Amino acid sequence: MIETTDILISGGGVAGLTAAAAFGSAGFRVICVDPAPPVTEEAGTGADLRTTAFLQPSRRVLEAAGLWDRIAPHGAALRIMRIVDAGGDRPEPRIVKDFDAAEIGDEPFGWNFPNWLLRRETVARLGLLPNVAFRPGIGTRAVFTRAGEARVTLSDGGQVSARLLVAADGRASPVREAVGIGVRTIRYGQKALAFAVTHPIPHDNVSTEIHRSGGPFTLVPLPDRQGLPSSAVVWMERGPEAVRLSSLPVPEFEREMFARSAGIFGPLTLVTPRSVWPIIAQIADRFDGERTALLAEAAHVVPPIGAQGLNMSLADLACLLELAKASPDRLGDRAMLTAYNRRRWPEVKARVTGIDLLNRASMLSAQPLRDLRAGALNALYSLKPVRATLMKAGLGMR
């Protein structure tokens, strides 16, 4: 027997779960599958210890999905984006520039949340939506599409006929491959360490990105932990160095990260395990196929710079949801998906290109090139109209 639904979402990461909540809240019948049950506790085996900074435009998507009020009490506001150049002879700040959200509006740039908590709250939200079925432990085995439907065979042997198939199944997307969409990948030889720390000096809701070589060292505000200021850290380095750092005993690792942080927040105390993630940039040749839309990392991947990754994914979702709600009777048809690709692909391509350039600049190790990078930061920051334009562009504002 073939089960029918409006939308089948393949992938139960943060983006896929949010999509299920958003489409379900809009009244569509949704099935969301993922072969791996979500880890919804920080101490759980395999927990995603990274954090996500949702920028201003993403809040509207989260509100539409019924998620914002659930997660808001657990977030830390990001009011200033601080760029620190520590690329001199010694690992200490030589240029510090603050991009202040107050220059372009009343709201902070965004709010930072632990990924495991986002999964917990989104799964709970899905449980309140009778038109949404979340089926962890079940994956997508085969896909067959035709003009009127996507026919999906699941790993438990079940079959689903959907008007729209959403591929939110990651950078190695099986659905993307099944529908024959190619992808271009850029490899940097980098990895990112993700973990949380406490520190004696308050972060004052400032997200701090420190540049020296190998990639940025970024501290993103979290709510206080055990009475101490706390931050999430993403530390990007060339692959072998990242692996070396990840295996150091904690006291040695804390000394290394104190030096790499240029001592800005004082001694850093590691309070979670360290996870290691490969860094790539990637974009699919297109974001649409017959009855199929690519979403999030199935469509694009960028290095973790400027909080762009998941916010680009929620911009995908906002566009797809707007098109679906505008013409529910045409859900998943060729015109709808062509419009989705036309709106999103050029925007994403421009961001992937820009972030690629920023990442390459952050990796510079030769002193003259690091000095050139510092000069460029000074020049861009000193012009207020340019500074405001950069901040708005980073938020996805026109």
Side-chain angles (χ1 to χ4, degrees):
M1 181 177 175
I2 299 174
E3 188 176 6
T4 62
T5 190
D6 293 325
I7 301 168
L8 175 65
I9 298 171
S10 181
V14 173
L17 293 173
T18 303
F23 282 112
S25 297
F28 294 97
R29 295 175 301 143
V30 180
I31 297 172
C32 179
V33 299
D34 192 285
V39 181
T40 57
E41 298 296 334
E42 184 180 41
T45 302
D48 184 350
L49 300 177
R50 296 173 295 176
T51 64
T52 292
F54 286 123
L55 301 178
Q56 286 179 25
S58 292
R59 176 172 172 171
R60 293 190 290 273
V61 184
L62 296 166
E63 288 172 341
L67 292 171
W68 179 252
D69 288 344
R70 301 186 67 96
I71 66 173
H74 306 286
L78 310 179
R79 299 192 178 277
I80 291 175
M81 299 290 192
R82 178 169 292 156
I83 307 297
V84 177
D85 185 274
D89 293 333
R90 297 172 57 83
E92 56 191 28
R94 58 176 180 169
I95 297 175
V96 179
K97 300 297 183 184
D98 285 356
F99 293 82
D100 191 337
E103 289 191 37
I104 57 172
D106 297 329
E107 292 284 327
F109 286 117
W111 303 264
N112 196 43
F113 302 92
N115 282 7
W116 63 266
L117 182 137
L118 294 174
R119 284 179 166 84
R120 185 187 75 189
E121 295 303 319
T122 309
V123 169
R125 169 63 179 159
L126 297 184
L128 301 176
L129 294 169
N131 52 324
V132 177
F134 176 45
R135 298 175 185 171
I138 298 174
T140 299
R141 179 182 293 169
V143 176
F144 170 75
T145 65
R146 51 190 176 189
E149 66 168 348
R151 183 77 59 88
V152 180
T153 302
L154 303 176
S155 60
D156 65 352
Q159 285 196 320
V160 176
S161 172
R163 296 166 64 200
L164 173 63
L165 171 60
V166 175
D169 49 355
R171 58 186 65 183
S173 170
V175 171
R176 185 185 65 220
E177 183 175 346
V179 298
I181 299 176
V183 65
R184 178 174 180 262
T185 304
I186 302 170
R187 303 188 186 279
Y188 300 99
Q190 280 175 302
K191 295 184 186 296
L193 289 90
F195 50 90
V197 297
T198 56
H199 38 81
I201 299 173
H203 51 59
D204 294 328
N205 295 110
V206 176
S207 179
T208 304
E209 196 171 276
I210 303 164
H211 293 262
R212 186 164 171 80
S213 63
F217 183 102
T218 306
L219 297 113
V220 189
L222 287 172
D224 286 359
R225 190 179 186 118
Q226 298 171 347
L228 291 170
S230 180
S231 295
V233 177
V234 177
W235 184 355
M236 292 167 60
E237 278 289 356
R238 297 187 184 276
E241 175 65 1
V243 171
R244 181 188 75 84
L245 291 165
S246 70
S247 61
L248 285 177
V250 170
E252 291 181 38
F253 182 74
E254 289 179 339
R255 285 194 292 272
E256 292 261 11
M257 65 175 171
F258 173 71
R260 184 61 182 81
S261 70
I264 285 176
F265 290 148
L268 305 178
T269 301
L270 183 68
V271 292
T272 67
R274 292 160 276 182
S275 57
V276 181
W277 303 83
I279 300 299
I280 64 169
Q282 185 168 277
I283 185 169
D285 294 342
R286 63 183 193 277
F287 294 169
D288 67 315
E290 189 174 55
R291 289 284 160 183
T292 305
L294 305 189
L295 186 78
E297 288 201 340
H300 46 75
V301 182
V302 291
I305 294 175
Q308 293 298 303
L310 193 54
N311 288 281
M312 289 164 60
S313 302
L314 292 198
D316 297 341
L317 173 56
C319 178
L320 201 59
L321 184 63
E322 178 186 335
L323 291 166
K325 290 167 69 174
S327 299
D329 56 319
R330 302 186 64 180
L331 178 70
D333 73 6
R334 184 178 298 276
M336 173 190 165
L337 293 173
T338 298
Y340 171 63
N341 182 69
R342 186 174 61 247
R343 291 188 193 181
R344 289 301 299 150
W345 196 92
E347 160 77 9
V348 169
K349 175 61 175 175
R351 287 185 181 272
V352 170
T353 301
I355 294 167
D356 171 66
L357 292 172
L358 289 173
N359 189 40
R360 293 182 188 279
S362 76
M363 294 173 67
L364 297 175
S365 56
Q367 190 62 57
L369 294 176
R370 296 196 326 218
D371 293 343
L372 184 64
R373 180 184 66 198
L377 172 61
N378 253 336
L380 289 171
Y381 184 86
S382 64
L383 300 170
K384 186 174 180 180
V386 174
R387 189 164 71 244
T389 298
L390 288 173
M391 287 189 282
K392 290 179 179 180
L395 292 176
M397 299 167 62
R398 299 296 180 187

